[in-house]
Amino acid sequence: MGLFSRKKKEEKPEKAQPEKLMFDLPLGTFTYINNPGANEFGYESETRWEQSGRSNPIITVYIDTDSPESTQAGICYAKLEQVIANRERIDKDVTERIADHFLSMPNMIAGGYNKQMITDDSQLYWLGVFRNGDTQFSYDTAGVYANDITVTIHADGSREIEYRSDIDYEMHTDKM
Protein backbone atom coordinates (compact mmCIF):
# COMPACT_ATOMS: atom_id res chain seq x y z
CA MET A 1 0.00 0.00 0.00
CA GLY A 2 1.22 3.39 -0.86
CA LEU A 3 1.34 6.36 1.42
CA PHE A 4 -1.79 7.85 -0.10
CA SER A 5 -3.79 4.70 -0.71
CA ARG A 6 -7.20 4.51 0.86
CA LYS A 7 -8.08 1.91 3.38
CA LYS A 8 -11.57 0.56 3.06
CA LYS A 9 -13.71 1.88 5.90
CA GLU A 10 -15.12 -0.87 8.04
CA GLU A 11 -18.85 -0.60 8.49
CA LYS A 12 -20.17 -1.25 11.92
CA PRO A 13 -23.33 -3.29 12.09
CA GLU A 14 -26.34 -1.17 13.01
CA LYS A 15 -27.39 -1.53 16.58
CA ALA A 16 -30.89 -2.94 16.76
CA GLN A 17 -33.35 -0.48 18.22
CA PRO A 18 -35.52 -2.01 20.92
CA GLU A 19 -39.09 -2.36 19.80
CA LYS A 20 -41.47 0.03 21.54
CA LEU A 21 -43.78 -1.72 23.95
CA MET A 22 -47.33 -0.78 22.97
CA PHE A 23 -50.82 -2.12 23.31
CA ASP A 24 -54.12 -1.20 21.67
CA LEU A 25 -57.24 -0.89 23.77
CA PRO A 26 -60.61 0.76 23.16
CA LEU A 27 -59.29 3.93 24.85
CA GLY A 28 -56.33 4.21 22.46
CA THR A 29 -52.83 2.95 21.73
CA PHE A 30 -50.69 3.04 24.86
CA THR A 31 -46.90 3.36 24.55
CA TYR A 32 -44.57 2.31 27.34
CA ILE A 33 -42.48 5.00 29.06
CA ASN A 34 -39.48 4.01 31.17
CA ASN A 35 -37.91 7.15 32.63
CA PRO A 36 -36.20 6.28 35.93
CA GLY A 37 -34.86 9.83 36.39
CA ALA A 38 -38.43 11.14 36.65
CA ASN A 39 -39.75 7.98 38.34
CA GLU A 40 -42.03 7.38 35.36
CA PHE A 41 -42.82 3.78 34.60
CA GLY A 42 -46.06 3.60 32.71
CA TYR A 43 -47.97 4.07 29.49
CA GLU A 44 -49.16 7.13 27.62
CA SER A 45 -51.87 7.53 25.01
CA GLU A 46 -53.89 10.10 23.16
CA THR A 47 -57.48 9.37 24.21
CA ARG A 48 -60.87 10.72 23.31
CA TRP A 49 -62.48 12.63 26.21
CA GLU A 50 -65.80 13.77 24.81
CA GLN A 51 -67.10 16.83 26.59
CA SER A 52 -70.04 18.88 25.43
CA GLY A 53 -69.01 22.24 24.03
CA ARG A 54 -65.29 21.43 24.10
CA SER A 55 -63.21 22.18 21.03
CA ASN A 56 -60.62 19.42 21.53
CA PRO A 57 -61.90 16.01 22.64
CA ILE A 58 -58.39 14.45 22.57
CA ILE A 59 -56.37 14.41 25.80
CA THR A 60 -53.09 12.81 26.84
CA VAL A 61 -53.52 9.98 29.33
CA TYR A 62 -50.78 8.51 31.50
CA ILE A 63 -51.16 5.34 33.59
CA ASP A 64 -48.53 3.90 35.92
CA THR A 65 -47.41 0.31 35.67
CA ASP A 66 -48.40 -1.95 38.54
CA SER A 67 -44.83 -1.53 39.88
CA PRO A 68 -41.63 0.08 38.58
CA GLU A 69 -40.24 -3.41 37.91
CA SER A 70 -43.23 -4.51 35.80
CA THR A 71 -44.62 -3.54 32.41
CA GLN A 72 -48.13 -4.62 33.44
CA ALA A 73 -50.61 -1.79 34.05
CA GLY A 74 -53.85 -3.58 34.88
CA ILE A 75 -54.54 -1.79 38.17
CA CYS A 76 -54.24 1.74 36.81
CA TYR A 77 -55.96 0.85 33.54
CA ALA A 78 -58.98 -0.48 35.46
CA LYS A 79 -59.11 2.79 37.42
CA LEU A 80 -58.81 4.76 34.16
CA GLU A 81 -61.81 2.88 32.76
CA GLN A 82 -63.81 3.93 35.86
CA VAL A 83 -62.77 7.55 35.39
CA ILE A 84 -63.70 7.48 31.69
CA ALA A 85 -67.07 5.86 32.48
CA ASN A 86 -67.82 8.71 34.92
CA ARG A 87 -66.14 11.50 32.96
CA GLU A 88 -69.10 13.89 32.86
CA ARG A 89 -69.61 13.77 36.63
CA ILE A 90 -65.87 13.96 37.35
CA ASP A 91 -65.29 16.80 34.86
CA LYS A 92 -68.16 18.79 36.36
CA ASP A 93 -66.91 18.23 39.91
CA VAL A 94 -63.29 19.13 39.12
CA THR A 95 -64.07 22.22 37.03
CA GLU A 96 -66.51 23.51 39.66
CA ARG A 97 -63.86 23.05 42.34
CA ILE A 98 -61.35 24.93 40.18
CA ALA A 99 -63.84 27.77 39.71
CA ASP A 100 -64.70 27.88 43.44
CA HIS A 101 -61.02 27.91 44.37
CA PHE A 102 -60.18 30.88 42.17
CA LEU A 103 -63.43 32.71 42.93
CA SER A 104 -62.36 32.70 46.60
CA MET A 105 -59.42 34.90 45.47
CA PRO A 106 -61.03 37.76 43.50
CA ASN A 107 -57.65 39.10 42.33
CA MET A 108 -57.18 35.80 40.42
CA ILE A 109 -60.34 36.24 38.29
CA ALA A 110 -60.53 38.15 35.01
CA GLY A 111 -63.17 40.88 34.93
CA GLY A 112 -66.67 39.68 34.18
CA TYR A 113 -66.01 35.97 34.76
CA ASN A 114 -68.34 33.96 36.98
CA LYS A 115 -68.42 30.32 38.07
CA GLN A 116 -70.39 29.10 35.06
CA MET A 117 -68.11 30.88 32.60
CA ILE A 118 -65.00 29.42 34.24
CA THR A 119 -66.39 25.87 34.28
CA ASP A 120 -67.60 26.20 30.67
CA ASP A 121 -64.19 27.49 29.54
CA SER A 122 -62.12 24.86 31.36
CA GLN A 123 -60.72 22.15 29.10
CA LEU A 124 -59.00 18.98 30.28
CA TYR A 125 -55.79 18.23 28.37
CA TRP A 126 -53.98 15.68 30.59
CA LEU A 127 -55.10 12.85 32.89
CA GLY A 128 -52.80 10.70 35.03
CA VAL A 129 -53.64 7.59 37.05
CA PHE A 130 -50.95 6.49 39.49
CA ARG A 131 -50.20 3.27 41.36
CA ASN A 132 -50.38 5.12 44.71
CA GLY A 133 -54.10 5.73 44.06
CA ASP A 134 -53.82 9.39 42.99
CA THR A 135 -55.56 10.67 39.89
CA GLN A 136 -54.48 13.99 38.34
CA PHE A 137 -56.37 16.26 35.97
CA SER A 138 -54.68 19.17 34.18
CA TYR A 139 -56.81 21.93 32.68
CA ASP A 140 -56.54 24.97 30.50
CA THR A 141 -58.88 27.42 32.17
CA ALA A 142 -59.98 30.77 30.80
CA GLY A 143 -60.96 33.59 33.12
CA VAL A 144 -58.37 32.96 35.83
CA TYR A 145 -54.90 34.40 36.20
CA ALA A 146 -53.20 31.02 36.45
CA ASN A 147 -51.85 28.29 34.25
CA ASP A 148 -50.51 24.76 34.67
CA ILE A 149 -53.63 24.03 36.73
CA THR A 150 -53.60 20.46 38.06
CA VAL A 151 -56.11 18.95 40.46
CA THR A 152 -55.05 15.79 42.30
CA ILE A 153 -57.61 13.49 43.85
CA HIS A 154 -55.68 11.41 46.35
CA ALA A 155 -56.45 7.78 47.21
CA ASP A 156 -58.02 8.93 50.50
CA GLY A 157 -60.44 11.24 48.61
CA SER A 158 -58.71 14.48 49.59
CA ARG A 159 -58.03 16.99 46.83
CA GLU A 160 -55.40 19.59 46.13
CA ILE A 161 -54.83 22.10 43.38
CA GLU A 162 -51.48 23.15 42.00
CA TYR A 163 -51.06 26.09 39.64
CA ARG A 164 -48.67 28.76 38.46
CA SER A 165 -49.98 32.22 39.27
CA ASP A 166 -49.90 34.82 36.52
CA ILE A 167 -49.62 37.43 39.27
CA ASP A 168 -46.47 36.31 41.11
CA TYR A 169 -45.28 33.64 38.59
CA GLU A 170 -44.83 31.10 41.38
CA MET A 171 -46.22 27.61 41.80
CA HIS A 172 -48.90 27.27 44.48
CA THR A 173 -50.36 24.15 46.05
CA ASP A 174 -53.57 24.41 48.08
CA LYS A 175 -55.98 21.94 49.64
CA MET A 176 -59.44 21.98 48.10
Side-chain angles (χ1 to χ4, degrees):
M1 282 192 177
L3 184 61
F4 297 104
S5 66
R6 294 187 180 187
K7 187 177 176 185
K8 188 174 181 180
K9 193 176 188 178
E10 290 183 28
E11 291 185 26
K12 295 180 183 176
E14 284 189 33
K15 191 176 181 181
Q17 294 293 325
E19 190 173 320
K20 284 189 174 186
L21 185 55
M22 302 169 77
F23 60 90
D24 290 317
L25 293 169
L27 296 178
T29 300
F30 286 78
T31 304
Y32 182 64
I33 298 169
N34 180 345
N35 186 357
N39 197 28
E40 288 181 332
F41 304 94
Y43 291 86
E44 197 169 66
S45 176
E46 299 294 308
T47 301
R48 192 166 206 75
W49 180 274
E50 304 254 353
Q51 302 167 87
S52 60
R54 305 296 164 86
S55 61
N56 185 11
I58 305 298
I59 65 169
T60 301
V61 173
Y62 171 83
I63 56 173
D64 264 344
T65 55
D66 294 343
S67 74
E69 298 81 24
S70 170
T71 58
Q72 301 297 313
I75 296 167
C76 290
Y77 187 78
K79 175 126 186 223
L80 173 63
E81 286 181 316
Q82 292 174 352
V83 171
I84 297 287
N86 294 298
R87 70 176 153 253
E88 288 180 30
R89 180 187 57 77
I90 292 169
D91 186 57
K92 182 177 189 232
D93 177 61
V94 173
T95 57
E96 285 181 355
R97 287 175 184 263
I98 290 170
D100 289 341
H101 181 78
F102 288 109
L103 286 166
S104 72
M105 301 177 287
N107 64 326
M108 294 292 293
I109 302 294
Y113 267 83
N114 61 35
K115 183 175 183 173
Q116 189 63 49
M117 294 167 79
I118 294 169
T119 58
D120 288 348
D121 290 342
S122 294
Q123 186 165 344
L124 182 69
Y125 65 89
W126 189 86
L127 167 63
V129 180
F130 300 93
R131 74 180 68 85
N132 68 359
D134 289 355
T135 305
Q136 290 184 338
F137 304 86
S138 294
Y139 282 85
D140 283 328
T141 303
V144 299
Y145 297 124
N147 54 55
D148 300 329
I149 300 169
T150 299
V151 173
T152 302
I153 302 174
H154 296 286
D156 65 4
S158 65
R159 291 169 167 74
E160 69 182 23
I161 186 170
E162 184 177 43
Y163 60 92
R164 181 175 306 284
S165 168
D166 291 347
I167 296 171
D168 63 14
Y169 306 106
E170 292 188 22
M171 289 301 292
H172 296 267
T173 303
D174 300 315
K175 300 243 184 263
M176 294 182 84

